[in-house]
Amino acid sequence: LFLRTPATGPLIGGLVRQQEPRVCAALVYNGRKELANSVVAVFQQPGMDVWGTLMCTVPGFDAWVGQWLNDPRGASFAREVLLSEGFIDWVEGYLSHEDGKAFVIRLLQQPGVTRFVTWLNRDAAMCRWFAQIAGRDSAIQFVTEMLMEPGLERLMVSLLVRPGNDSALKAMLEHWVRAERSLEKVARAWGDQPRTSASLARVIMSPGFIDRFVIRRLLLQPGLAEVVVEAFLQVGVRGLKDTVLPLTFSTLAAAAALGSANFESEIAPILEELQGMDGLVGWAALLLV
């Protein structure tokens, strides 16, 4: 009851911010799994998603968390929390609040946080975690809104081109296709969001996405063609017609609207690269990007 009182969120957030991040990271490292489970048990209580958003409204709390995540011990503890049973549901609720979304956006822009995310992506369990959260409505809405913020589409591209994130994206696709067999459901959920096309177009048009990420990294992933073919077979003609193709064409149209000259210079190279691939597989890879 005490923790669920709205005033205690900013109070505790302020007290935490006054502490040295690396000292706190060292304190939680030993026994991190047990402590993570205890933390998650507290946060799963009714109303604690609201309390969490209030705690994160403390000025400077995003910078404090960023420094904490830059410490390997703090990063390791954060991973344990994220993977704790049921915490993914708390994150989904947290992202449904405007203050929660605003905090995560500020956090992603803190120095070193993209390195932390890349480190998480190299973990198989975290790849599955990201694949699961990426199909949930609040997460989809958060990503689309985030990418509409000026400059954040470039941040996303800078994250994607970091070594290892291309294989992580392929692993997510494999999870949707082979483990959950939920690709059509995920694609439909993204297609139903009104700003998906505009937000994805901003990423496509960002310098480095086509040439540095798609051509030089993603399309060179071993086994990608096989996964793409499986994805098309799973989605089927109806899924392509109702979901994948409309989203693809609306995204490309939105990209063209951002600047026809830039659009041509960004898309032309990938079409040349695809000439040496089987037509269906090559276009499937492009569509699923």
Side-chain angles (χ1 to χ4, degrees):
L1 285 176
F2 170 74
L3 286 179
R4 288 202 295 267
T5 304
T8 62
L11 174 64
I12 293 179
L15 292 173
V16 170
R17 190 177 60 81
Q18 294 175 21
Q19 311 308 310
E20 171 58 40
R22 294 187 182 278
V23 172
C24 293
L27 288 174
V28 301
Y29 184 72
N30 292 327
R32 56 192 177 279
K33 188 172 184 63
E34 294 77 12
L35 182 57
N37 289 333
S38 298
V39 169
V40 172
V42 171
F43 275 85
Q44 285 179 325
Q45 298 301 311
M48 289 302 290
D49 52 340
V50 177
W51 184 90
T53 62
L54 292 173
M55 181 178 70
C56 295
T57 58
V58 173
F61 194 73
D62 48 347
W64 187 95
V65 174
Q67 295 176 47
W68 188 65
L69 294 176
N70 277 318
D71 187 295
R73 297 164 296 186
S76 181
F77 180 75
R79 175 189 174 276
E80 292 291 346
V81 171
L82 289 170
L83 291 176
S84 295
E85 184 177 358
F87 192 69
I88 191 172
D89 298 321
W90 185 88
V91 173
E92 181 180 15
Y94 181 83
L95 290 176
S96 68
H97 299 284
E98 293 301 319
D99 285 338
K101 288 185 285 189
F103 172 76
V104 176
I105 289 174
R106 294 196 305 272
L107 178 61
L108 287 172
Q109 298 177 79
Q110 294 300 314
V113 172
T114 55
R115 184 170 60 248
F116 165 71
V117 175
T118 301
W119 174 75
L120 289 178
N121 278 336
R122 294 183 180 133
D123 182 271
M126 283 305 310
C127 279
R128 292 191 294 270
W129 191 95
F130 283 125
Q132 291 167 6
I133 193 72
R136 302 196 179 192
D137 289 341
S138 64
I140 295 172
Q141 185 178 6
F142 162 71
V143 172
T144 55
E145 290 181 7
M146 177 186 73
L147 294 177
M148 295 302 292
E149 293 285 331
L152 288 186
E153 74 282 2
R154 293 175 180 267
L155 175 68
M156 179 61 70
V157 174
S158 70
L159 175 62
L160 290 173
V161 299
R162 293 182 69 90
N165 286 327
D166 47 347
S167 58
L169 191 59
K170 179 200 166 197
M172 289 177 63
L173 177 60
E174 286 180 326
H175 181 82
W176 291 328
V177 172
R178 294 172 175 170
E180 290 189 343
R181 299 187 63 81
S182 60
L183 180 62
E184 184 178 3
K185 179 181 177 182
V186 172
R188 190 184 309 114
W190 278 87
D192 288 343
Q193 286 291 332
R195 306 177 79 181
T196 295
S197 297
S199 62
L200 293 180
R202 291 171 64 86
V203 175
I204 290 174
M205 295 300 293
S206 294
F209 178 77
I210 296 293
D211 55 346
R212 294 180 60 198
F213 177 65
V214 176
I215 294 179
R216 299 180 188 176
R217 292 191 178 277
L218 184 61
L219 291 182
L220 299 180
Q221 278 292 305
L224 177 64
E226 290 84 352
V227 179
V228 169
V229 170
E230 289 182 44
F232 267 63
L233 292 175
Q234 185 179 124
V235 171
V237 175
R238 185 184 182 90
L240 285 173
K241 179 182 177 182
D242 294 345
T243 304
V244 177
L245 291 178
L247 177 59
T248 300
F249 292 140
S250 61
T251 299
L252 294 179
L258 290 176
S260 57
N262 290 337
F263 177 75
E264 182 178 353
S265 65
E266 289 288 336
I267 296 299
I270 194 171
L271 297 181
E272 294 177 4
E273 290 288 331
L274 291 174
Q275 287 178 356
M277 300 175 62
D278 176 84
L280 174 62
V281 173
W283 276 106
L286 176 58
L287 290 173
L288 288 173
V289 169

